[in-house]
Amino acid sequence: MTGTWPFVGREAQLEQLRGLLAGTASSAGLVVSGAAGLGKTRLLAEARSTAEAARSHAVSLAATAATQDLPFGMFSTLLPRDRSTPRDLLGSDRLDLLLATADRLCAQAGKRRLVLLVDDVNFADQGSVALIHHLAMQRQAVLLLAVRTGEQLPDALHLLWRQGSLEWIELAALLSEEVTTLLEKALGGAIESRSALRLAEASGGNPLYLRELVRAGQAQGALACEGGVWSLSRLPQLPTPLADILRERLRGLSAAEREVVALVGSGEPVELGLVVAVLGAQAVERAEAQGLVSLVTAERRAYLRLAHPLYGELLRGEPGQLRLLRLRRELAEAMVATGLRRRGDVLRLALAQADGVLDVDAGIQLEGIREASAAFDHDLVLRLGRAAQQAGGGFEAGHAIAEAYAWKGDGHRAEEAFAALQSQAGDDAQRGIAARNRAGNLFFGLGRTRAAYQVIEEACQTIGDPHWTAELGLLRAGIAICSGHAMQALEFGALVLGDGGTERLELHQMPGLVSTLTALGNTEAAIMAGEAAVAPLEHASREYPYLIATTKVALSEAYMLHGELAKAQELATSGYREALNGCADGLRGQWALAAGRAAVATGRLATAARSCREAALLLGQHGTLLGPCGRIEALGWLAVAQAIRGDVSGARQALADAQATHCEDAFVVATGLGRTWLAAAQGDLPEARRVAHTVAQEAAELGDGAYEALAWHAVTRLGGQAHERLTELAAMCPSPMHDAYACHAQALANADAAGLESAVEQFDRLGATLLAAEASAAAAALYERLGSKGNAIVASLRTQARLEACALKHSPALSALAVGAIPELTQRERETVDLALSGMSNAAIAARLVLSVRTVESHLHNAYTKLGIGSREELTRLLSERG
């Protein structure tokens, strides 16, 4: 990636400059201070553009060490050179030269405001400093001066700051949200959240460091775009320019201080007392005083972290690794001597053993594996599993390795490992574990549904322990519901758990139970079951970290289909944030899918597309309890969102990617709906209705009442007849959403304007803004045909407001219902009309909106023209005729 990067995160500083240019500020200028790479030079460049846009005369200068000993060296290109200037001015009368240069600058500016932008002003020679000081004191120029943090501002300019003539701005590192914005502008596309966060953390929010990391990531293949989303598979090796900058920062450190940085970087955070025990308090204190390490507290203990994460990356590639290995051994031995009392001590010890710092103990490795699994660190589980296996960890170590492959999304390696594990199983418990996890990987990892069922069937014939046959039956039910077979899942679930079900089985049943009840259309029961399961699952979350999240994802789907869209969105947002903070990328994919579903339901289609793209990426890269069907569903909802937004090629590509994702015997409603809306977006409404009709029938055959209703409602939205079946489903599977579907369909079938208004109100209460807009547009069209122009105007205005909330101007459903063009009033025009509708006079409207009466009259005239009426009187008459 080459060229200038986008400018992000410094708008406040530019706004201060605008205030100076406008004369609203009391100071003569700004001093911008910041560490190297934070963007001081770039800010000056943007400030120059801002000044020139404000019709000011901008002069950019840069002081350097090379010109520091030359009088007025920084202004050398601006010094007077005409023959009327005595040559000895350069050597004798500097005051005259200063005044002459100042006059020349002012003459060049003419009547425009002079803006002087100086980079690295700390290097300015005394003559240049005096000239800048003179211009400021005479108020002949606005100053913008940049200085690196830690460097001294020249005395004369520092005096200006103390006197209040200069304002001081300390540039901070970019926030993580600003880093994401910068990355997406630079890359030209969305970046998945964890990748953005990793780059923000690695760069420390420094734009220069970030740019170099991105360039290195692209060059090394670590940063790539897949399915329209950029993702970072690993941090790239430090590029030479960035490594040189960091080396300069560490230059001059004593050997002891470098060892502090290296030791902390080898496994941060590290308890302060342990580092002091190994390297001594003096070295640690000096490293902290120089800003190389920082002190943090957690659980009433003090820990050390690197002040910048890239210091550790740099030192890991430097000489002295044998010395570092010895220091790590001493640190580990000191930790063992304390009794491994702190949270994470066992994991740190296991990692030290796996790295060859200490002899490997299989028991410690297995304990570390459990902690790493709870933290979703599957790469670490794999490392520790291999170490445990070499140390004689047996079946449990082999199981950890196989599971790590599965959760990492490497289903083929996981299948090899689980197959080998099955042959090593020595009792029913081990046979049950191996069969359960192998079957799970076959379906959730590879999409091989039939092979998964076969493994379960064969295991149940050889295992005598009823606990394990019950657990395998439960897995069979989970596979059925994930592949879209609701009635089959219900049958499997009912056969597995009776009165003798253990607490463990009951917990494992929860995600499938909530999903099955939801699919069957009993969303109220699903919500009750899901909400009741949250507390016990959270209590057991350390042992079963995936169950609570997967159950909550199922609960979010139940909320969405029931009509509690705000709850669905809130749960998805909080779950996504928790998974992001916990580095659980597979779970984050599940939550992105939940957020995408909810966004489609509310009509926020751009948001839905972003969430579904990220979900498809993450669910394709990591093992989850949704399996390939989760990725297929994400792509299906992406196709729906893109088609309704009018992006036909995007919808087509999403469906092609879904078709290329392998999962045997799966029925995923979202892909059928994607095909439906793609056909509608292409103008083939009969085909769109046919596809939606087929999807609804297939859902009915599989017992999927909730999604059957969704498909039949799509038929209705596209001009088909489905009111009778939707009314039946509303009675069979009661929910606010089903009631609204039925009301909408009945009103369309009966050409009932009042019924459409009722549907609008119901959809509005649920937060289904796009559906409310479609119902309102249908009402407007019906009122127009009935000759009720006043009602048509009001309905049209409300339709436009709802479409704008969805960032849409039209939709395929409006075309299907032969709804004409919705009048596109500007926001101000709509505000004035709404106030006019309430009976306010033009003068009162002007006072309310802080406008002139003439401006209000102009807005109303424009609005009336678009609405096809001639005056306020006609509008009043039409409204008085509303039924």
Side-chain angles (χ1 to χ4, degrees), residues 139-217:
R139 293 287 175 149
Q140 292 177 316
V142 172
L143 305 180
L144 186 57
L145 313 175
V147 61
R148 183 178 296 187
T149 298
E151 300 287 350
Q152 282 286 79
L153 197 65
D155 289 344
L157 303 180
H158 197 270
L159 178 62
L160 288 177
W161 170 72
R162 291 203 306 270
Q163 292 173 341
S165 296
L166 293 175
E167 297 178 48
W168 194 287
I169 298 173
E170 191 71 35
L171 282 189
L174 296 177
L175 301 174
S176 60
E177 296 85 356
E178 294 169 334
V179 168
T180 300
T181 300
L182 176 56
L183 286 169
E184 294 189 340
K185 286 185 175 182
L187 294 168
I191 184 169
E192 66 93 11
S193 300
R194 180 62 190 160
S195 295
L197 187 59
R198 289 177 71 188
L199 286 167
E201 291 172 347
S203 67
N206 185 303
L208 174 62
Y209 294 4
L210 181 67
R211 185 192 71 192
E212 293 305 310
L213 286 171
V214 167
R215 287 176 174 173

Side-chain angles (χ1 to χ4, degrees), residues 80-103:
R81 288 286 185 270
D82 59 281
R83 294 185 179 183
S84 64
T85 303
R87 291 181 179 278
D88 65 352
L89 279 180
L90 290 172
S92 58
D93 195 343
R94 295 186 180 182
L95 176 59
D96 286 347
L97 182 56
L98 181 152
L99 294 174
T101 306
D103 289 345

Side-chain angles (χ1 to χ4, degrees), residues 304-373:
L304 290 175
R305 299 194 73 99
L306 293 180
H308 199 291
L310 292 183
Y311 292 158
E313 292 293 324
L314 176 68
L315 292 178
R316 272 192 281 277
E318 299 281 289
Q321 297 304 302
L322 289 177
R323 166 73 173 161
L324 178 59
L325 193 65
R326 183 174 66 78
L327 293 175
R328 288 189 62 193
R329 183 182 300 113
E330 293 177 14
L331 187 75
E333 289 169 347
M335 183 171 61
V336 172
T338 65
L340 304 177
R341 299 187 308 271
R342 308 161 199 78
R343 182 192 293 264
D345 276 358
V346 171
L347 185 56
R348 290 189 183 93
L349 180 58
L351 183 56
Q353 291 179 359
D355 286 346
V357 175
L358 295 174
D359 292 338
V360 176
D361 180 299
I364 291 293
Q365 293 299 305
L366 294 174
E367 208 171 327
I369 285 169
R370 286 187 279 275
E371 292 196 18
S373 296

